[in-house]
Amino acid sequence: MLRVLAVDDEEPALAELLYLLRADPRVTSAEGATDATEALRRLGQGMEDGGGAEPVDVLFLDIRMAGLSGLDVARLLAGFARPPLVVFVTAHEDFAVAAFDLKAVDYVLKPVRRDRLAEAVRRVAERVEAREPRPALPATTTAAHVPVELGGVTRLVPVADIAYVEAQGDYARLHTAEGSHLVRVPLTTLEERWQPHGFVRIHRSHLVALHRVEELRLDGGGMSVRIGTAVLAVSRRHASRLRELLLKRAGG
């Protein structure tokens, strides 16, 4: 059972979020705060002996707020001995990378849908039960499509459309001709699963589709590849293997 603190400086949005959270049977208590300072004060009370408040399991945080932002709060939590988990709830898509860099469990877009919030609560409950981070692995990452969330809608992106993948902590950003998508899967997992699809590791931060490589560049002893407008460095560890695969592909 989860103890939740929701933080949003817009009271109607906060009230709606609390209503949805309290309706979830996995949530034992859900309280609200309208600014970051109040939220931090309540968290401190829950950690003090005799503070009269139960520790909070998870914060549902808006990002753009007066004063400290939700991202600021998440950064401050790093100083806590046992910080609560964080789910960001925001109307803005462009903070997702920063949010996941701060180890957010989930990133929910407004307007909040009941089913989408329930999924976020499920992910939090799994983390709390396990007491350690466990990245969720979509079952279809082994197949020809990858489920990604875009504007609150789940879309299936063909693996064949992905030119390269960029590591971002325990997450990966998929780059296609249409744009990019962040998924909750480590790069090492995708490297293993997508080898049959022709993906090759070229650097600790990049995995590329071999057939998408347009140029192999040598410059000052270093190596890089060009895929569209992107130029990606190739580490020495992976250089000989990549060259071998490209030559084999050219000859075959």
Side-chain angles (χ1 to χ4, degrees):
M1 301 295 285
L2 301 174
R3 295 177 294 272
V4 176
L5 178 60
V7 189
D8 196 314
D9 62 352
E10 296 181 0
E11 293 192 12
L14 178 61
E16 175 67 13
L17 180 58
L18 288 172
Y19 172 78
L20 293 174
L21 286 167
R22 289 166 180 164
D24 193 304
R26 293 163 294 194
V27 175
T28 187
S29 67
E31 302 300 326
T34 55
D35 61 64
T37 301
E38 173 67 9
L40 291 169
R41 185 186 66 79
R42 293 197 190 187
L43 290 175
Q45 281 183 338
M47 294 179 182
E48 293 173 357
D49 292 336
E54 290 291 328
V56 171
D57 294 309
V58 57
L59 283 179
F60 281 77
L61 271 175
D62 189 15
I63 289 184
R64 284 188 172 173
M65 298 186 290
L68 293 176
S69 71
L71 296 175
D72 292 330
V73 174
R75 292 185 186 102
L76 289 171
L77 293 180
F80 286 46
R82 191 181 176 92
L85 299 173
V86 172
V87 171
F88 287 104
V89 183
T90 177
H92 307 281
E93 297 182 12
D94 48 342
F95 295 105
V97 172
F100 287 126
D101 282 345
L102 291 169
K103 308 301 181 185
V105 176
D106 210 341
Y107 193 89
V108 179
L109 291 173
K110 297 177 181 179
V112 179
R113 303 194 324 267
R114 184 186 297 270
D115 59 339
R116 182 64 184 84
L117 188 65
E119 171 63 14
V121 172
R122 181 192 67 77
R123 291 175 179 174
V124 169
E126 285 185 353
R127 295 282 188 95
V128 170
E129 182 181 357
R131 293 187 178 274
E132 62 182 19
R134 293 189 304 173
L137 177 62
T140 51
T141 54
T142 60
H145 294 79
V146 189
V148 300
E149 189 164 301
L150 185 63
V153 176
T154 300
R155 175 188 170 196
L156 294 177
V157 174
V159 173
D161 289 354
I162 299 167
Y164 67 96
V165 187
E166 178 184 3
Q168 292 186 343
D170 291 333
Y171 302 82
R173 181 165 293 279
L174 315 178
H175 291 267
T176 70
E178 298 178 353
S180 67
H181 310 280
L182 197 67
V183 296
R184 298 167 54 82
V185 189
L187 192 67
T188 51
T189 300
L190 294 181
E191 177 187 9
E192 180 181 327
R193 300 290 179 90
W194 287 359
Q195 187 175 352
H197 295 281
F199 281 81
V200 180
R201 189 73 166 261
I202 64 166
H203 190 275
R204 62 185 178 85
S205 300
H206 289 107
L207 185 67
V208 303
L210 196 64
H211 68 281
R212 297 277 187 160
V213 175
E214 299 173 39
E215 290 182 359
L216 180 65
R217 300 179 175 182
L218 299 174
D219 184 19
M223 181 184 291
S224 62
V225 295
R226 182 176 67 82
I227 300 177
T229 59
V231 177
L232 309 174
V234 180
S235 68
R236 291 184 179 181
R237 175 184 175 186
H238 299 286
S240 60
R241 174 62 175 162
L242 176 64
R243 190 198 300 266
E244 176 187 335
L245 290 172
L246 287 172
L247 288 173
K248 184 182 296 185
R249 177 170 171 264

